[in-house]
Amino acid sequence: MNILLHCSWQSYNIGDIAHTPGCLAVLNQHLPDASISLLPGPLNHGADTMLARQFPSLTVLDPDDNAQVTQAFDRADLLLHGSGPNLIRPHHLRRWISETGKPYGALGSTLEQVHEHNRDLVEAASFIFTRETASLEVIRQAELARRPIVDFAPDATAGMTIIDEAAGQRTLEQFGLKPKSFVCAVPRLRYTPYHEFKPSIGWDADRIAEVERVNEQHKLADHARLVHAIRVLLEQTDLRVLLCPEMTYQVPLLEQLLRDPLPAALRDRVHNLGRYWLPDAAAAVYGQAASVISMECHSPLIALARGTPCIHLRQPEDTIKGQMYHDLGLGDWLFEIDTSDPDEIAAKLVQQVDDPTAVLGTVNAAQSTVRERLASAAEIIRN
């Protein structure tokens, strides 16, 4: 079986990078005889080197090489759209549908709407596994001329197996951290300011102004909740904190929004990673952490894959993908940023690190759900 994996949407976000090794882990485990080619987006920030190191037999295509893409379309039996928001780079999907007539499906997509821009792609799919059950309901309520197989399978990031132990060890040594003696914390603005680093985003002045207004309005109050949890953790335990980015733009925010607001007497136990990293390095560090508390969605999933408890502070602008935490049985570890009590967030974090044995059952149950759901999806892919 020849599979064309349509994934690797961008490399500004370790979650977007992690979608690909997560999907490859599913395919390699459940379809070990399949030949896989990757039709990616830009593989920058070392993502190309990471994939080559971790998956040396993977064929990576140049999406701008029309002849190469055509040959890949001819060889492949199935196009598999990797995890992510919506159905991404639809021109590749429409070309596949029109030129090959062969099946395609999605593994772990969020669909907040079925409308004129994606209805044809939903109807043409053989299967769509949504990464949370909220999207299932969106598809079920849509008036589709043809309904694909639909079911829930979590974001493949939760099934990622790659780790860079050497990079992780270097990070621990850099900050003098010992296993399970620290917590990782990840910030996030309400809207990713793509206009600052991704010119191709093409936002007009009104859109840019709205993004900047909303981010400025909420950034201090949002991060005050995370700072409060960090402060309580430092006051009630002897653990340390490592501040980490999930996206490139967050590196300068680590000091400004998370470390500087803390009491001066606590700051020497708070370390700023100070750089962007790759998901296999993050996985190595998260696996050694006592917990990961994150305003981003994917760092907790990477931690979960490594058996580490996690907390997700969800902002309402961050799509419906947060429903996935409820679907995995992690609803008690999901806090809505606008309505949650900061003391409850802090208490949950302290509980996780104070009694790791007590939370192990929750971690194991969630991992089991991830494995079962991804295995079920793989069986549909095989068929």
Side-chain angles (χ1 to χ4, degrees):
M1 184 179 189
N2 293 305
I3 298 175
L4 181 59
L5 178 60
H6 182 40
C7 204
S8 295
W9 314 122
Q10 61 179 8
S11 58
Y12 302 105
N13 185 321
I14 63 172
D16 285 323
I17 297 173
H19 292 145
T20 298
C23 288
L24 290 171
V26 175
L27 297 175
N28 289 340
Q29 179 182 358
H30 297 286
L31 290 86
D33 296 328
S35 174
I36 304 168
S37 298
L38 174 65
L39 180 60
L43 293 172
N44 302 319
H45 301 101
D48 52 350
T49 303
M50 184 203 74
L51 287 174
R53 181 178 68 251
Q54 297 284 4
F55 302 97
S57 63
L58 177 67
T59 298
V60 179
L61 306 172
D62 179 353
D64 297 322
D65 187 329
N66 186 65
Q68 192 180 79
V69 173
T70 298
Q71 292 172 0
F73 278 19
D74 290 341
R75 287 194 306 269
D77 302 302
L78 169 75
L79 185 148
L80 181 64
H81 182 290
S83 297
N86 213 328
L87 298 172
I88 305 174
R89 298 208 167 87
H91 62 286
H92 285 310
L93 301 179
R94 291 191 172 97
R95 179 181 172 187
W96 169 270
I97 293 165
S98 65
E99 292 184 9
T100 73
K102 292 184 283 192
Y104 99 90
L107 177 62
S109 288
T110 289
L111 291 174
E112 293 199 273
Q113 289 182 312
V114 176
H115 47 57
E116 64 273 15
H117 299 300
N118 65 2
R119 179 177 297 273
D120 62 321
L121 299 177
V122 176
E123 291 177 336
S126 296
F127 57 86
I128 296 179
F129 286 93
T130 67
R131 59 181 172 178
E132 24 62 31
T133 55
S135 290
L136 279 181
E137 193 59 28
V138 171
I139 297 174
R140 286 170 180 155
Q141 291 184 1
E143 296 180 357
L144 298 176
R146 175 190 170 278
R147 188 181 300 277
I149 296 171
V150 292
D151 206 347
F152 160 61
D155 191 307
T157 298
M160 190 184 79
T161 58
I162 61 169
I163 54 175
D164 187 341
E165 293 284 18
Q169 186 59 35
R170 287 194 298 270
T171 298
L172 266 60
E173 291 175 354
Q174 177 185 354
F175 298 106
L177 300 172
K178 299 191 180 305
K180 305 305 177 184
S181 71
F182 65 98
V183 165
C184 293
V186 182
R188 182 184 186 272
L189 298 178
R190 291 286 177 115
Y191 290 115
T192 300
Y194 282 116
H195 59 287
E196 295 179 358
F197 56 87
K198 189 178 180 181
S200 63
I201 196 68
W203 289 346
D204 61 22
D206 289 342
R207 173 60 173 162
I208 292 172
E210 177 65 8
V211 166
E212 292 181 342
R213 182 192 67 79
V214 172
N215 284 346
E216 190 64 28
Q217 176 184 350
H218 292 286
K219 70 178 184 180
L220 295 180
D222 283 358
H223 290 87
R225 287 166 166 78
L226 183 49
V227 170
H228 178 72
I230 292 171
R231 180 179 61 78
V232 171
L233 175 83
L234 294 171
E235 290 173 345
Q236 296 187 9
T237 76
D238 60 358
L239 271 66
R240 298 202 232 172
V241 175
L242 180 64
L243 308 178
C244 312
E246 184 165 308
M247 293 198 69
T248 54
Y249 82 88
Q250 293 161 358
V251 173
L253 302 182
L254 299 174
E255 198 77 16
Q256 173 192 351
L257 295 179
L258 296 183
R259 191 170 183 272
D260 285 351
L262 287 165
L266 299 177
R267 289 180 204 152
D268 61 343
R269 289 164 56 203
V270 179
H271 308 283
N272 181 354
L273 183 65
R275 65 179 186 276
Y276 186 57
W277 53 354
L278 291 168
D280 56 349
V285 172
Y286 291 165
Q288 298 293 343
S291 179
V292 172
I293 180 168
S294 172
M295 294 166 66
E296 286 279 8
C297 179
H298 286 93
S299 283
L301 297 180
I302 296 172
L304 180 69
R306 298 285 288 129
T308 298
C310 54
I311 291 174
H312 178 31
L313 309 181
R314 181 187 174 274
Q315 297 157 313
E317 291 80 3
D318 198 21
T319 79
I320 58 176
K321 64 186 177 185
Q323 172 63 34
M324 178 174 23
Y325 284 83
H326 294 287
D327 298 330
L328 294 177
L330 301 175
D332 287 345
W333 295 354
L334 175 72
F335 293 88
E336 298 294 335
I337 198 78
D338 282 338
T339 57
S340 295
D341 183 340
D343 287 332
E344 291 182 6
I345 298 169
K348 183 63 67 176
L349 179 61
V350 172
Q351 177 193 25
Q352 286 185 346
V353 303
D354 269 352
D355 192 358
T357 303
V359 300
L360 187 59
T362 301
V363 171
N364 289 342
Q367 287 181 319
S368 178
T369 300
V370 169
R371 288 192 298 268
E372 291 170 3
R373 286 290 180 167
L374 292 177
S376 176
E379 187 61 24
I380 294 296
I381 294 170
R382 181 198 309 277
N383 291 339

